[in-house]
Amino acid sequence: MDEILAANASQWVADSNSAVFLRLISGETTESVLNALRADIAEDEEGADGADAIEFHPIFTYPIYGEQERIFGYKGLRISLYYAAGSLATYFSVDYTKRIDGLETSLPVQLKSDDVDTPMRKVLSENSLVGSREEFAERVVKDTKEFKPHGKKVHEYEFREYHRRLQTFLLFYIEGAQFIDETDERWQVFTVYERLDLNGITSYSLVGYCTMYEFFHWPDSKRPRISQFLVLPPFQGQGHGSELYRYIYGMVKASPQYVDLTVEDPSESFDDMRDRNDMRYLLDHHAFDGLTAPVSPEDLHKLQIEYKISKRQMARCVEMGLLKMLDKPNAEAYGRYRLFVKRRIYAQNVDLLSGLEDDEKKQKVAESFASVVNDYHRVLSLI
């Protein structure tokens, strides 16, 4: 038996990202919801009996199951988080075909499976958990008919509880994500929902959400910062993130209390989305008309104030705008542009370059310039 266990050890180890299943469910009847719970409904596939279920996996589970994202001791492991698509009331279950506990072995230690229940419950909102499938099905039916997205008039405590359900998704999709301090009133939360029509019943299903923090800006203004920005996997690539970002930017741009919009530690995909939308807006509003390289710090500052885009992001957008308008066969104009961008690259990396010889510095800056320009061309091709 020991040799068999040793030879097949990998069969008892599960990848926790693949073992965790997330499902958003809406339904007209408890029977249709229970059928959706039992069935392996594919992503975006509607149940034929009046239920709508969307299933997907997390990208990260290390905050719950450890850095290796491995679970030992099970075969056929399935860790299910079923959410009422609007209210996010949650039913949590763990299923498997075999468990290693109790298997006979002559090893001096007893083989024991990992605990998959307790770590998950620690990150779930206790008040959102529903005790049984039947109770969950009843809750889904009720929410399908009655749930409406939270808005400005919702009582604060009500939304705090809802946010505790929302923030669990951050652990699954944003690396290094942390829960926010819900007692700090400077946080704002924006939510996006899909409106569903289930045989005449209007229902809502979560698409994504964003948190934004308002910092004080002397003497009497605020500097908002996007902190967490998430569109759930089944809805990615459909423009929902851009719609949400444009709304937030538009709100900041229109409000006299806000100085500019900043972003906390953005991912590459967010940077891409932000670049595309900022550039579309700036080009539509002719922000770069009349600009040529080199652009003075004073002119850059004027653009930053007018369009309420952070200093570093505006510098990036200006460089893209200049490249788009550049007469590339004009060697003199291209030389001025190249020097303008290289000076910015050097200034931002002066500490890293300080230990290099002059020739190495020039080579590194030239390589960075080529990489930056290639990326600018890529972004501009998507606009």
Side-chain angles (χ1 to χ4, degrees):
M1 183 64 177
D2 299 342
E3 294 178 0
I4 296 175
L5 284 174
N8 297 282
S10 62
Q11 297 182 20
W12 295 96
V13 178
D15 173 66
S16 56
N17 293 334
S18 299
V20 174
F21 292 77
L22 309 175
R23 186 177 288 181
L24 300 175
I25 302 178
S26 302
E28 298 176 75
T29 65
T30 56
E31 182 180 0
S32 67
V33 175
L34 288 171
N35 288 337
L37 292 178
R38 298 186 192 104
D40 291 328
I41 298 178
E43 184 176 302
D44 279 329
E45 181 180 343
E46 288 193 15
D49 55 0
D52 183 89
I54 301 175
E55 186 173 274
F56 47 101
H57 293 281
I59 295 176
F60 306 113
T61 49
Y62 67 85
I64 303 166
Y65 294 119
E67 290 294 330
Q68 298 302 314
E69 296 184 323
R70 294 289 185 270
I71 298 172
F72 174 74
Y74 302 88
K75 288 185 179 181
L77 178 63
R78 182 184 178 95
I79 304 168
S80 299
L81 285 172
Y82 301 107
Y83 291 93
S87 72
L88 302 184
T90 311
Y91 176 65
F92 169 51
S93 71
V94 177
D95 302 287
Y96 48 86
T97 56
K98 288 185 180 180
R99 187 173 175 177
I100 205 167
D101 301 61
L103 289 181
E104 294 183 2
T105 173
S106 61
L107 292 175
V109 294
Q110 183 179 2
L111 295 173
K112 184 174 177 58
S113 59
D114 292 336
D115 179 5
V116 296
D117 188 278
T118 303
M120 182 65 78
R121 289 185 183 274
K122 285 182 178 179
V123 301
L124 296 174
S125 170
E126 183 178 351
N127 292 335
S128 71
L129 288 174
V130 178
S132 68
R133 287 173 178 253
E134 291 72 22
E135 183 183 352
F136 176 74
E138 292 174 1
R139 179 65 182 273
V140 168
V141 172
K142 181 177 184 295
D143 289 348
T144 297
K145 297 176 181 177
E146 300 179 4
F147 174 80
K148 296 295 184 292
H150 297 277
K152 293 181 180 179
K153 294 183 180 180
V154 173
H155 188 274
E156 183 181 62
Y157 176 81
E158 214 175 313
F159 187 76
R160 281 185 180 177
E161 177 54 43
Y162 185 72
H163 182 261
R164 289 169 193 161
R165 305 172 193 176
L166 270 177
Q167 64 185 358
T168 303
F169 288 108
L170 299 177
L171 302 181
F172 295 136
Y173 296 106
I174 299 180
E175 190 166 9
Q178 295 181 341
F179 292 165
I180 66 175
D181 178 6
E182 62 183 25
T183 65
D184 191 334
E185 295 182 356
R186 288 175 291 182
W187 283 106
Q188 289 194 46
V189 181
F190 304 85
T191 51
V192 181
Y193 297 88
E194 177 185 21
R195 188 166 59 188
L196 304 172
D197 184 354
L198 294 177
N199 295 330
I201 298 174
T202 299
S203 182
Y204 297 87
S205 179
L206 179 70
V207 169
Y209 86 111
C210 170
T211 60
M212 186 177 79
Y213 192 78
E214 294 181 341
F215 288 91
F216 171 75
H217 185 270
W218 191 88
D220 56 359
S221 300
K222 298 177 182 178
R223 171 165 279 152
R225 176 181 294 174
I226 291 175
S227 177
Q228 300 149 330
F229 194 101
L230 174 65
V231 175
L232 296 179
F235 303 101
Q236 291 175 5
Q238 301 170 29
H240 302 300
S242 288
E243 289 288 346
L244 177 56
Y245 175 77
R246 285 197 295 267
Y247 172 80
I248 294 172
Y249 172 70
M251 181 193 70
V252 170
K253 178 74 167 56
S255 175
Q257 69 174 326
Y258 293 136
V259 177
D260 57 17
L261 180 62
T262 61
V263 181
E264 178 185 351
D265 194 20
S267 65
E268 289 185 8
S269 59
F270 183 91
D271 271 339
D272 255 14
M273 181 271 293
R274 182 189 187 191
D275 284 346
R276 294 195 306 272
N277 285 286
D278 285 350
M279 285 300 297
R280 287 189 185 109
Y281 185 89
L282 293 169
L283 289 168
D284 288 346
H285 288 78
H286 307 285
F288 309 121
D289 287 5
L291 285 184
T292 57
V295 177
S296 70
E298 292 77 17
D299 286 340
L300 188 62
H301 185 60
K302 288 178 183 177
L303 288 171
Q304 180 191 348
I305 292 175
E306 180 179 357
Y307 292 101
K308 296 188 178 182
I309 293 175
S310 65
K311 180 179 180 180
R312 187 161 184 171
Q313 177 67 2
M314 180 55 79
R316 179 175 172 83
C317 289
V318 164
E319 290 177 4
M320 276 191 276
L322 291 174
L323 182 63
K324 181 176 176 61
M325 298 183 299
L326 189 63
D327 180 13
K328 296 177 182 62
N330 185 328
E332 183 181 352
Y334 190 77
R336 288 197 300 268
Y337 175 78
R338 182 173 60 244
L339 183 59
F340 173 61
V341 176
K342 282 185 174 182
R343 282 175 175 168
R344 192 267 306 164
I345 292 172
Y346 184 85
Q348 287 185 353
N349 296 277
V350 63
D351 291 339
L352 295 175
L353 296 170
S354 60
L356 302 179
E357 298 292 335
D358 287 346
D359 288 345
E360 290 179 302
K361 289 178 183 178
K362 291 179 181 178
Q363 181 180 351
K364 292 293 184 184
V365 171
E367 290 172 354
S368 295
F369 171 79
S371 176
V372 165
V373 169
N374 285 338
D375 190 52
Y376 286 169
H377 281 303
R378 180 187 60 81
V379 173
L380 291 170
S381 71
L382 300 174
I383 298 174

